[in-house]
Amino acid sequence: MTTTNASPAANQMWGGRFAEGPDAIMQAINASIGFDQRLYAQDIAGSRAHAAMLAAQGIITPNDAEAIREGLLTVLSEIETGNFPFKVELEDIHMNVEARLKEIIGAPAGRLHTARSRNDQVAVDFRLWVRDQCDAAIAGLTALMRAFLAQAEAGADWVMPGFTHLQTAQPVTWGHHMMAYVEMFARDRSRFMDARARMNECPLGAAALAGTSFPIDRMATARALGFDRPTANSLDSVSDRDFALEFLAASSICAMHLSRFAEELVIWSSAQFRFVRLSDRWTTGSSIMPQKKNPDAAELLRAKIGRILGATVALFTVMKGLPLTYSKDMQEDKEQVFDAADTLMLGLAAMTGMVADMAANRESLAAAAASGFSTATDLADWLVRELGLPFREAHHVTGTLVAMAESQGCDLPDLTLAQMQSVHSGIRADVFEVLGIENSVRSRRSYGGTAPDQVRAQIARWKEHLG
Ligand code: ARG
């Protein structure tokens, strides 16, 4: 029977060569248990897969593997019921779990770390966690797309102004505007799918950095943890966090999209626009101005990108210039990703609720669409099509008519035929047909255009795709 004689103050997991324990401030800067305890389920899943594999390979005995398996289940339930004694002197989730396992099952716990290091352990735990977040983002985006699809379907042919420079440009349909976001969030969704597929390789078994001399079966652990295959290079396995960066990049782009619709909601719900009414469930009142209904959720969603993009920059900065392989710098990878993921999931849920609840004001949308000379392009196109004018000349004639209407304080369809003919003698009465906003949107039937039948075709395509 051998005993270890490390100082009682030294770390029980790695203190063999240490005579003194760490300074209290060293402990504070070194410990990650305050945040990485979020990885407990992944850590225990990884350990279970590892122990089962060690037994199957004859590296540990079936009895020890069984004791480890049962002990880990006890640890899991202790954590889940809030009865686990997390200890800062045990640094991180990996050592906290293992030390507690030792208290519960005794000696066999010491065999769990055979052919493994905290370096591949944290790599597999974090990958599993980020992979779950990709799944959550994909589900959240699917729900959000459905909410936009429902809005698009209800108002596929409602006319509203389309803007460039936030100036009235051409009439478009409400359905078309909603479907623009379906496209954006669909791309976001596919980014999370791509990232998930790429990260789905198992680093467990890379050990500290070089692999191991034990006859481990990396295919088995990869399979047990739902990975497609093991990673192919042990140095890379323990030292990259590009999977987390991809998650953050996809999250940042998605948050940027969320912020754009959030901004539209802030503008549209104002008394000056009145395009939409937000439900009471997603707005707040003012303590001094009784008439106010503030779009706080939309404003917060407009701002949340700051945290997510900030996390992305922070992790890039941590990883930049790190020599291979693992460096403790990489412990700084987690908090930012946790916060970004929480922020994104909350944002997706809030936006889904707001979109589902919002009520478009069809009359205000139509009135706004009819103002601001929104059918000037239709007039120019008519001059090209019907009178054979070159587009540049048609543009000029139309501009002259816009100036005339503006000086008379009316819109284009309010000009008389005689007034129009004073600018170009060829103009006929049927020009008025293209000056109406309904006709304008109906005419834009090019693929991906705003015509209601085009919009309905896109809605049908997406509904079938989402099932
Ligand atoms: N808490 C550490 C981290 O999050 C675990 C890996 C520690 N590895 C080591 N060699 N000190 O990165």
Side-chain angles (χ1 to χ4, degrees), residues 357-385:
D357 276 15
M358 76 182 174
N361 184 339
R362 191 176 177 176
E363 290 71 40
S364 304
L365 291 170
S371 69
F373 316 108
S374 66
T375 52
T377 314
D378 299 86
L379 173 54
D381 287 350
W382 186 91
L383 294 168
V384 170
R385 206 171 44 241

Side-chain angles (χ1 to χ4, degrees), residues 400-435:
T400 310
L401 288 166
V402 166
M404 178 186 282
E406 194 170 38
S407 73
Q408 301 192 3
C410 69
D411 233 296
L412 281 174
D414 307 319
L415 293 173
T416 65
L417 183 59
Q419 285 172 321
M420 292 207 187
Q421 286 170 339
S422 74
V423 176
H424 193 288
S425 57
I427 297 179
R428 304 183 307 260
D430 56 312
V431 74
F432 287 98
E433 280 164 31
V434 301
L435 297 181

Side-chain angles (χ1 to χ4, degrees), residues 144-418:
L144 181 57
M145 288 169 67
R146 285 188 204 284
F148 273 107
L149 274 168
Q151 285 286 349
E153 208 167 17
D157 59 355
W158 299 356
V159 185
M160 67 179 284
F163 299 94
T164 60
H165 315 267
L166 197 56
Q167 307 284 318
T168 300
Q170 293 173 355
V172 297
T173 49
W174 170 259
H176 201 46
H177 200 110
M178 296 298 106
M179 291 305 290
Y181 283 98
V182 170
E183 294 291 333
M184 289 178 246
F185 291 121
R187 285 195 298 279
D188 291 339
R189 207 172 70 123
S190 77
R191 267 183 278 276
F192 285 110
M193 290 170 170
D194 291 348
R196 188 197 196 283
R198 209 165 7 257
M199 77 179 67
N200 206 27
E201 293 185 344
C202 186
L204 191 59
L209 76 162
T212 176
S213 57
F214 290 98
I216 60 171
D217 181 354
R218 293 193 60 206
M219 297 293 170
T221 43
R223 214 176 307 118
L225 294 168
F227 288 104
D228 295 330
R229 64 192 81 84
T231 50
N233 182 295
S234 62
L235 304 175
D236 171 48
S237 309
V238 296
S239 65
D240 208 351
R241 294 293 181 267
D242 60 351
F243 64 90
L245 284 167
E246 276 200 63
F247 171 76
L248 289 175
S251 299
S252 297
I253 296 173
C254 180
M256 175 275 295
H257 286 148
L258 288 171
S259 81
R260 296 188 72 175
F261 192 63
E263 165 73 343
E264 297 206 303
L265 286 179
V266 171
I267 296 172
W268 290 357
S269 63
S270 69
Q272 288 70 27
F273 270 75
R274 292 184 191 282
F275 283 7
V276 296
R277 198 162 38 76
L278 297 175
S279 79
D280 290 356
R281 291 163 17 115
W282 300 101
T283 48
T284 63
S286 156
S287 53
I288 177 167
M289 298 165 283
Q291 86 283 9
K292 291 288 287 284
K293 193 168 168 186
N294 294 326
D296 291 36
E299 293 167 89
L300 288 163
L301 274 169
R302 189 170 56 183
K304 291 286 188 195
I305 167 114
R307 290 167 68 153
I308 296 177
L309 190 58
T312 311
V313 174
L315 185 54
F316 267 110
T317 313
V318 167
M319 295 307 297
K320 180 208 162 290
L322 281 186
L324 300 191
T325 56
Y326 179 86
S327 295
K328 195 63 173 261
D329 307 50
M330 289 162 66
Q331 181 166 287
E332 288 292 312
D333 59 0
K334 293 173 205 62
E335 279 172 288
Q336 304 276 351
V337 176
F338 291 161
D339 184 67
D342 291 344
T343 303
L344 183 73
M345 303 317 155
L346 183 63
L348 286 172
M351 187 59 98
T352 303
M354 254 193 304
V355 171
D357 276 15
M358 76 182 174
N361 184 339
R362 191 176 177 176
E363 290 71 40
S364 304
L365 291 170
S371 69
F373 316 108
S374 66
T375 52
T377 314
D378 299 86
L379 173 54
D381 287 350
W382 186 91
L383 294 168
V384 170
R385 206 171 44 241
E386 301 295 326
L387 305 186
L389 265 55
F391 184 77
R392 284 292 158 217
E393 191 184 337
H395 186 284
H396 190 80
V397 168
T398 306
T400 310
L401 288 166
V402 166
M404 178 186 282
E406 194 170 38
S407 73
Q408 301 192 3
C410 69
D411 233 296
L412 281 174
D414 307 319
L415 293 173
T416 65
L417 183 59

Side-chain angles (χ1 to χ4, degrees), residues 112-123:
L112 172 60
H113 215 51
T114 313
R116 186 178 78 168
S117 150
R118 274 189 295 157
N119 294 350
D120 59 338
Q121 202 179 345
V122 72

